[in-house]
Structure formats: C-alpha cells, structure tokens
Amino acid sequence: MGLFDQILGAVTNPNQQGSLGQLGSIINSVNQLSDRTGADPSTIQSVLSIVGSQVRSALQHKQVTDGNEAAQTIVNQYAGTSPNPQAVDSLFSPGIQQQIAEIAALRTGLAPGMIQQLLPLAVPLVLNFLQSGANSQNPQTGGNSVLNSFLDADGDGDVDIADALQMASRYIRQ
C-alpha cells in the first residue's frame, strides 16, 4: 500500500490523527510557499520531495539507533504548518542542510539560499503529513501506519512526498 493510501486510511480512521483539515492546511502551506517564492506549486512539491527523502533517511537512522518511539517523538514534536528551525536542526547538521539546499537547487532551479530559507517550513510540513497516521488517543505508540509506510519497512522504495501531496490536493478538490 502506497504512502497516499496510508494517509487516506488515516483520514478516514477516527483512531488516527489524520483529517481533511490537516491535509488542507498542508496544501495551503505549500501554495503559500509557492506564492511567497514565486515558484510554481510543482517546484515547491519537488523541494518537499527532496526534503522528504532526507527526512526519511534521518528518521530511519533515528529508528535504527534509538527505536520506533524516537522517530515518532520527532514527528510529534515538530510536525506543523509554521516555520520551525528546531525541526530542521533536530534532523540535520548544518552541513547536511547545505547539501539538501544544493541538491534541491540543482533539481529545481531555485537558489540554494532560498531553499535553506524554505527548510524551516518544509521539514514541519513533511512531519505533519507523517503525523496523520499517529494514534489519536496515544500518539506516542509505535502504530503510526503513515510513518511506518514512509520509513518503508518492507524496502520496496515506494515513497514520495510530492506524489502524496498531488494526490491529496486532487482528493480534497473532489
């Protein structure tokens, strides 16, 4: 089951935190980023995909070294739709932040400095998507289907934040 299917499952499951309102606020934030930067939404989605890939690696490392609960704690603590530099710093060293900016700049045409300015909002948005699968009564339990799918425990590589954003946007417009 793909990441978007997991997100939709979380939206329709009253025992999970996901909601249409949450998806809507994430999509609105992406559109605001697009307006603020002058980049089209697909470019911002590409940036989020690149950031999402790096978040995935950082959370996988956290999961391996400190356990599932540690990865879930980061998601719970830093998920949101507001800029949060601590979210970026909790996952990435300054050197990794620079590498992310350079990779995203090469793939999108945006300036690396602009991408570094986007990171404090991009990281919480990615984490907000992941939080949708958390248990609504006890979010710290390890049963977050969206996070587990994102971390791709079965190793099939079928993970992409940009695809999930596009599908969520189409789903909400229906």
Side-chain angles (χ1 to χ4, degrees):
M1 186 182 271
L3 181 61
F4 182 69
D5 293 328
Q6 290 292 339
I7 291 168
L8 270 186
V11 166
T12 60
N13 184 340
N15 296 319
Q16 291 182 300
Q17 290 186 11
S19 70
L20 288 178
Q22 178 189 23
L23 289 180
S25 69
I26 292 169
I27 291 164
N28 286 339
S29 294
V30 170
N31 291 335
Q32 288 172 1
L33 274 176
S34 175
D35 292 343
R36 215 176 309 153
T37 61
D40 60 69
S42 66
T43 300
I44 298 300
Q45 288 175 1
S46 294
V47 170
L48 287 173
S49 180
I50 294 161
V51 170
S53 173
Q54 297 298 317
V55 167
R56 178 177 175 232
S57 294
L59 288 176
Q60 283 174 326
H61 178 74
K62 186 62 127 173
Q63 183 184 44
V64 167
T65 58
D66 300 329
N68 287 337
E69 293 76 25
Q72 184 64 53
T73 296
I74 288 174
V75 170
N76 291 341
Q77 186 172 359
Y78 297 114
T81 56
S82 298
N84 188 341
Q86 291 83 19
V88 180
D89 294 339
S90 75
L91 291 170
F92 308 121
S93 68
I96 297 294
Q97 292 174 37
Q98 182 64 36
Q99 287 177 3
I100 294 168
E102 290 169 8
I103 291 167
L106 285 173
R107 293 189 188 159
T108 64
L110 295 175
M114 178 179 286
I115 292 168
Q116 283 210 292
Q117 291 176 7
L118 296 176
L119 287 178
L121 184 53
V123 170
L125 284 175
V126 169
L127 296 175
N128 197 351
F129 243 131
L130 301 178
Q131 191 178 37
S132 66
N135 184 298
S136 58
Q137 301 302 313
N138 184 3
Q140 200 50 43
T141 61
N144 181 332
S145 60
V146 175
L147 178 59
N148 293 339
S149 179
F150 183 71
L151 296 178
D152 200 25
D154 66 359
D156 72 358
D158 184 26
V159 175
D160 192 330
I161 290 290
D163 291 344
L165 268 169
Q166 289 172 341
M167 291 177 176
S169 184
R170 283 191 292 253
Y171 181 80
I172 286 178
R173 281 190 224 129
Q174 289 179 350

